[in-house]
Amino acid sequence: LLLCFFITIFTGLYFGSTGTLFSENHNVWDLILLRLPRVIAALITGGALAICGAALQSILENPLAEPFLLGVSGGAVLGGTIGIIFGNFIFDTVFGIRIFSFGGAIGSILLLIYINKRSGNLNPVNMLLTGVIFNGFVSAIVTIFKAFIPAIKLQKVTLWLSGYIPYFNLQDIIIETILIFIISFFIVLESGRLNILVLGEDIAKTSGINVN
């Protein structure tokens, strides 16, 4: 991970639009400071997704469960797309996308819980199936948006969906890192019960865990 971290920072110093291999007009340290926050943001984002995936695999008793499969990321995609198209009327672009995408992710998981709770208990298999259906529904809506929005907005949506990370300052990263660490801390506190839950609901219930 550390090797990838440093390679990602220094690769841009020699290749691409900021490459200095054939040009001495760039200040190398300024380029490092420009790329460093984005690399850190990517690192933190990947770690957060890994923690979410581990928790969802335990809760849903499925080693393939992860935010993209369950529909959480689908909700974030829909919210982020709406944020790109309409968010600049409310927030600045970067902040608006983050607010809308976070709201979309939370909204999608609450919707999935509500739909599945109507039939009684939350069933892991039903949750996964509902998540797959929801992802397909979201993909269709995003495709419709992409078909009608202006070219500039379309480019922003396409870049964002491909994993583009905009420029962040260190203050933004510090705030988000603290939030992720706080939430991750509570998930780690539940790790004992989550590990038992992986073994199945029956074993978890006989171990005194409130599965619901």
PDB file of all heavy atoms in Angstrom, residues 48 51-52 55 102 106 176-190:
ATOM      1  N   ALA A  48     -12.427   3.173   3.570  1.00  0.00           N
ATOM      2  CA  ALA A  48     -13.814   3.246   4.035  1.00  0.00           C
ATOM      3  C   ALA A  48     -14.681   2.209   3.322  1.00  0.00           C
ATOM      4  O   ALA A  48     -15.523   1.549   3.939  1.00  0.00           O
ATOM      5  CB  ALA A  48     -14.372   4.651   3.800  1.00  0.00           C
ATOM      6  N   ILE A  51     -14.003  -1.240   4.818  1.00  0.00           N
ATOM      7  CA  ILE A  51     -14.658  -1.417   6.114  1.00  0.00           C
ATOM      8  C   ILE A  51     -16.157  -1.665   5.925  1.00  0.00           C
ATOM      9  O   ILE A  51     -16.751  -2.545   6.559  1.00  0.00           O
ATOM     10  CB  ILE A  51     -14.417  -0.190   7.011  1.00  0.00           C
ATOM     11  CG1 ILE A  51     -12.932  -0.106   7.382  1.00  0.00           C
ATOM     12  CG2 ILE A  51     -15.268  -0.249   8.271  1.00  0.00           C
ATOM     13  CD1 ILE A  51     -12.541   1.190   8.045  1.00  0.00           C
ATOM     14  N   CYS A  52     -16.784  -0.884   5.027  1.00  0.00           N
ATOM     15  CA  CYS A  52     -18.210  -1.091   4.727  1.00  0.00           C
ATOM     16  C   CYS A  52     -18.445  -2.496   4.193  1.00  0.00           C
ATOM     17  O   CYS A  52     -19.405  -3.170   4.585  1.00  0.00           O
ATOM     18  CB  CYS A  52     -18.681  -0.069   3.697  1.00  0.00           C
ATOM     19  SG  CYS A  52     -18.814   1.606   4.306  1.00  0.00           S
ATOM     20  N   ALA A  55     -18.236  -5.139   6.959  1.00  0.00           N
ATOM     21  CA  ALA A  55     -19.418  -5.111   7.825  1.00  0.00           C
ATOM     22  C   ALA A  55     -20.627  -5.718   7.119  1.00  0.00           C
ATOM     23  O   ALA A  55     -21.379  -6.511   7.710  1.00  0.00           O
ATOM     24  CB  ALA A  55     -19.718  -3.674   8.256  1.00  0.00           C
ATOM     25  N   PHE A 102     -23.835  11.347  -0.398  1.00  0.00           N
ATOM     26  CA  PHE A 102     -23.999  10.758   0.937  1.00  0.00           C
ATOM     27  C   PHE A 102     -25.480  10.570   1.253  1.00  0.00           C
ATOM     28  O   PHE A 102     -25.895   9.524   1.763  1.00  0.00           O
ATOM     29  CB  PHE A 102     -23.341  11.652   1.992  1.00  0.00           C
ATOM     30  CG  PHE A 102     -23.431  11.108   3.394  1.00  0.00           C
ATOM     31  CD1 PHE A 102     -22.639  10.043   3.782  1.00  0.00           C
ATOM     32  CD2 PHE A 102     -24.303  11.661   4.307  1.00  0.00           C
ATOM     33  CE1 PHE A 102     -22.728   9.532   5.075  1.00  0.00           C
ATOM     34  CE2 PHE A 102     -24.401  11.160   5.602  1.00  0.00           C
ATOM     35  CZ  PHE A 102     -23.606  10.087   5.979  1.00  0.00           C
ATOM     36  N   ILE A 106     -27.409   6.951   2.069  1.00  0.00           N
ATOM     37  CA  ILE A 106     -28.219   6.729   3.274  1.00  0.00           C
ATOM     38  C   ILE A 106     -29.675   6.451   2.898  1.00  0.00           C
ATOM     39  O   ILE A 106     -30.320   5.542   3.444  1.00  0.00           O
ATOM     40  CB  ILE A 106     -28.141   7.960   4.204  1.00  0.00           C
ATOM     41  CG1 ILE A 106     -26.709   8.155   4.723  1.00  0.00           C
ATOM     42  CG2 ILE A 106     -29.105   7.808   5.373  1.00  0.00           C
ATOM     43  CD1 ILE A 106     -26.198   7.020   5.566  1.00  0.00           C
ATOM     44  N   GLU A 176     -13.046  14.752   6.967  1.00  0.00           N
ATOM     45  CA  GLU A 176     -13.623  13.490   6.525  1.00  0.00           C
ATOM     46  C   GLU A 176     -12.905  12.299   7.157  1.00  0.00           C
ATOM     47  O   GLU A 176     -13.530  11.279   7.461  1.00  0.00           O
ATOM     48  CB  GLU A 176     -13.583  13.411   5.004  1.00  0.00           C
ATOM     49  CG  GLU A 176     -14.488  14.462   4.370  1.00  0.00           C
ATOM     50  CD  GLU A 176     -14.535  14.379   2.864  1.00  0.00           C
ATOM     51  OE1 GLU A 176     -13.866  13.488   2.297  1.00  0.00           O
ATOM     52  OE2 GLU A 176     -15.247  15.186   2.252  1.00  0.00           O
ATOM     53  N   THR A 177     -11.594  12.433   7.350  1.00  0.00           N
ATOM     54  CA  THR A 177     -10.848  11.346   7.988  1.00  0.00           C
ATOM     55  C   THR A 177     -11.328  11.126   9.420  1.00  0.00           C
ATOM     56  O   THR A 177     -11.511   9.985   9.857  1.00  0.00           O
ATOM     57  CB  THR A 177      -9.337  11.662   7.991  1.00  0.00           C
ATOM     58  OG1 THR A 177      -8.892  11.861   6.650  1.00  0.00           O
ATOM     59  CG2 THR A 177      -8.551  10.518   8.610  1.00  0.00           C
ATOM     60  N   ILE A 178     -11.560  12.219  10.140  1.00  0.00           N
ATOM     61  CA  ILE A 178     -12.050  12.105  11.521  1.00  0.00           C
ATOM     62  C   ILE A 178     -13.418  11.423  11.546  1.00  0.00           C
ATOM     63  O   ILE A 178     -13.663  10.518  12.359  1.00  0.00           O
ATOM     64  CB  ILE A 178     -12.124  13.502  12.174  1.00  0.00           C
ATOM     65  CG1 ILE A 178     -10.713  14.067  12.380  1.00  0.00           C
ATOM     66  CG2 ILE A 178     -12.870  13.443  13.506  1.00  0.00           C
ATOM     67  CD1 ILE A 178     -10.682  15.502  12.856  1.00  0.00           C
ATOM     68  N   LEU A 179     -14.319  11.826  10.633  1.00  0.00           N
ATOM     69  CA  LEU A 179     -15.647  11.216  10.571  1.00  0.00           C
ATOM     70  C   LEU A 179     -15.559   9.724  10.282  1.00  0.00           C
ATOM     71  O   LEU A 179     -16.225   8.905  10.923  1.00  0.00           O
ATOM     72  CB  LEU A 179     -16.491  11.905   9.499  1.00  0.00           C
ATOM     73  CG  LEU A 179     -16.940  13.340   9.801  1.00  0.00           C
ATOM     74  CD1 LEU A 179     -17.632  13.950   8.596  1.00  0.00           C
ATOM     75  CD2 LEU A 179     -17.863  13.372  11.006  1.00  0.00           C
ATOM     76  N   ILE A 180     -14.719   9.353   9.315  1.00  0.00           N
ATOM     77  CA  ILE A 180     -14.582   7.941   8.944  1.00  0.00           C
ATOM     78  C   ILE A 180     -13.979   7.137  10.093  1.00  0.00           C
ATOM     79  O   ILE A 180     -14.405   6.013  10.382  1.00  0.00           O
ATOM     80  CB  ILE A 180     -13.729   7.802   7.663  1.00  0.00           C
ATOM     81  CG1 ILE A 180     -14.516   8.339   6.471  1.00  0.00           C
ATOM     82  CG2 ILE A 180     -13.327   6.349   7.428  1.00  0.00           C
ATOM     83  CD1 ILE A 180     -13.715   8.410   5.198  1.00  0.00           C
ATOM     84  N   PHE A 181     -13.007   7.709  10.795  1.00  0.00           N
ATOM     85  CA  PHE A 181     -12.386   7.001  11.913  1.00  0.00           C
ATOM     86  C   PHE A 181     -13.380   6.806  13.056  1.00  0.00           C
ATOM     87  O   PHE A 181     -13.388   5.750  13.707  1.00  0.00           O
ATOM     88  CB  PHE A 181     -11.154   7.761  12.410  1.00  0.00           C
ATOM     89  CG  PHE A 181      -9.877   7.307  11.779  1.00  0.00           C
ATOM     90  CD1 PHE A 181      -9.310   7.999  10.721  1.00  0.00           C
ATOM     91  CD2 PHE A 181      -9.234   6.157  12.217  1.00  0.00           C
ATOM     92  CE1 PHE A 181      -8.135   7.578  10.125  1.00  0.00           C
ATOM     93  CE2 PHE A 181      -8.052   5.717  11.629  1.00  0.00           C
ATOM     94  CZ  PHE A 181      -7.509   6.429  10.579  1.00  0.00           C
ATOM     95  N   ILE A 182     -14.217   7.803  13.316  1.00  0.00           N
ATOM     96  CA  ILE A 182     -15.210   7.677  14.386  1.00  0.00           C
ATOM     97  C   ILE A 182     -16.191   6.551  14.072  1.00  0.00           C
ATOM     98  O   ILE A 182     -16.463   5.676  14.902  1.00  0.00           O
ATOM     99  CB  ILE A 182     -15.967   9.009  14.594  1.00  0.00           C
ATOM    100  CG1 ILE A 182     -15.024  10.063  15.189  1.00  0.00           C
ATOM    101  CG2 ILE A 182     -17.182   8.812  15.504  1.00  0.00           C
ATOM    102  CD1 ILE A 182     -15.627  11.441  15.268  1.00  0.00           C
ATOM    103  N   ILE A 183     -16.732   6.564  12.834  1.00  0.00           N
ATOM    104  CA  ILE A 183     -17.685   5.525  12.438  1.00  0.00           C
ATOM    105  C   ILE A 183     -17.011   4.154  12.411  1.00  0.00           C
ATOM    106  O   ILE A 183     -17.588   3.154  12.857  1.00  0.00           O
ATOM    107  CB  ILE A 183     -18.286   5.867  11.067  1.00  0.00           C
ATOM    108  CG1 ILE A 183     -19.085   7.174  11.161  1.00  0.00           C
ATOM    109  CG2 ILE A 183     -19.199   4.741  10.572  1.00  0.00           C
ATOM    110  CD1 ILE A 183     -19.535   7.732   9.838  1.00  0.00           C
ATOM    111  N   SER A 184     -15.775   4.100  11.907  1.00  0.00           N
ATOM    112  CA  SER A 184     -15.043   2.835  11.861  1.00  0.00           C
ATOM    113  C   SER A 184     -14.788   2.293  13.262  1.00  0.00           C
ATOM    114  O   SER A 184     -14.826   1.075  13.483  1.00  0.00           O
ATOM    115  CB  SER A 184     -13.710   3.028  11.131  1.00  0.00           C
ATOM    116  OG  SER A 184     -13.910   3.496   9.822  1.00  0.00           O
ATOM    117  N   PHE A 185     -14.563   3.199  14.205  1.00  0.00           N
ATOM    118  CA  PHE A 185     -14.320   2.781  15.588  1.00  0.00           C
ATOM    119  C   PHE A 185     -15.534   2.033  16.139  1.00  0.00           C
ATOM    120  O   PHE A 185     -15.399   0.989  16.776  1.00  0.00           O
ATOM    121  CB  PHE A 185     -14.008   4.016  16.451  1.00  0.00           C
ATOM    122  CG  PHE A 185     -13.884   3.720  17.911  1.00  0.00           C
ATOM    123  CD1 PHE A 185     -12.750   3.090  18.420  1.00  0.00           C
ATOM    124  CD2 PHE A 185     -14.898   4.067  18.791  1.00  0.00           C
ATOM    125  CE1 PHE A 185     -12.633   2.815  19.772  1.00  0.00           C
ATOM    126  CE2 PHE A 185     -14.784   3.800  20.148  1.00  0.00           C
ATOM    127  CZ  PHE A 185     -13.656   3.172  20.635  1.00  0.00           C
ATOM    128  N   PHE A 186     -16.738   2.539  15.868  1.00  0.00           N
ATOM    129  CA  PHE A 186     -17.947   1.875  16.353  1.00  0.00           C
ATOM    130  C   PHE A 186     -18.164   0.532  15.654  1.00  0.00           C
ATOM    131  O   PHE A 186     -18.665  -0.421  16.261  1.00  0.00           O
ATOM    132  CB  PHE A 186     -19.164   2.784  16.160  1.00  0.00           C
ATOM    133  CG  PHE A 186     -19.213   3.928  17.131  1.00  0.00           C
ATOM    134  CD1 PHE A 186     -18.969   5.218  16.712  1.00  0.00           C
ATOM    135  CD2 PHE A 186     -19.485   3.706  18.471  1.00  0.00           C
ATOM    136  CE1 PHE A 186     -19.006   6.273  17.603  1.00  0.00           C
ATOM    137  CE2 PHE A 186     -19.524   4.753  19.373  1.00  0.00           C
ATOM    138  CZ  PHE A 186     -19.284   6.048  18.947  1.00  0.00           C
ATOM    139  N   ILE A 187     -17.795   0.450  14.376  1.00  0.00           N
ATOM    140  CA  ILE A 187     -17.913  -0.829  13.667  1.00  0.00           C
ATOM    141  C   ILE A 187     -16.941  -1.850  14.263  1.00  0.00           C
ATOM    142  O   ILE A 187     -17.287  -3.022  14.444  1.00  0.00           O
ATOM    143  CB  ILE A 187     -17.655  -0.643  12.158  1.00  0.00           C
ATOM    144  CG1 ILE A 187     -18.769   0.207  11.535  1.00  0.00           C
ATOM    145  CG2 ILE A 187     -17.582  -1.997  11.441  1.00  0.00           C
ATOM    146  CD1 ILE A 187     -18.583   0.495  10.067  1.00  0.00           C
ATOM    147  N   VAL A 188     -15.733  -1.407  14.589  1.00  0.00           N
ATOM    148  CA  VAL A 188     -14.747  -2.304  15.196  1.00  0.00           C
ATOM    149  C   VAL A 188     -15.237  -2.790  16.559  1.00  0.00           C
ATOM    150  O   VAL A 188     -15.026  -3.955  16.926  1.00  0.00           O
ATOM    151  CB  VAL A 188     -13.379  -1.597  15.328  1.00  0.00           C
ATOM    152  CG1 VAL A 188     -12.418  -2.432  16.164  1.00  0.00           C
ATOM    153  CG2 VAL A 188     -12.774  -1.352  13.955  1.00  0.00           C
ATOM    154  N   LEU A 189     -15.909  -1.917  17.313  1.00  0.00           N
ATOM    155  CA  LEU A 189     -16.462  -2.332  18.604  1.00  0.00           C
ATOM    156  C   LEU A 189     -17.486  -3.461  18.434  1.00  0.00           C
ATOM    157  O   LEU A 189     -17.649  -4.292  19.325  1.00  0.00           O
ATOM    158  CB  LEU A 189     -17.126  -1.147  19.306  1.00  0.00           C
ATOM    159  CG  LEU A 189     -16.206  -0.060  19.868  1.00  0.00           C
ATOM    160  CD1 LEU A 189     -17.027   1.029  20.536  1.00  0.00           C
ATOM    161  CD2 LEU A 189     -15.199  -0.647  20.858  1.00  0.00           C
ATOM    162  N   GLU A 190     -18.166  -3.487  17.289  1.00  0.00           N
ATOM    163  CA  GLU A 190     -19.161  -4.528  17.016  1.00  0.00           C
ATOM    164  C   GLU A 190     -18.547  -5.757  16.344  1.00  0.00           C
ATOM    165  O   GLU A 190     -19.277  -6.696  16.011  1.00  0.00           O
ATOM    166  CB  GLU A 190     -20.265  -3.960  16.111  1.00  0.00           C
ATOM    167  CG  GLU A 190     -21.097  -2.867  16.735  1.00  0.00           C
ATOM    168  CD  GLU A 190     -21.993  -3.386  17.855  1.00  0.00           C
ATOM    169  OE1 GLU A 190     -22.363  -4.575  17.808  1.00  0.00           O
ATOM    170  OE2 GLU A 190     -22.309  -2.611  18.780  1.00  0.00           O
TER     171      GLU A 190
END
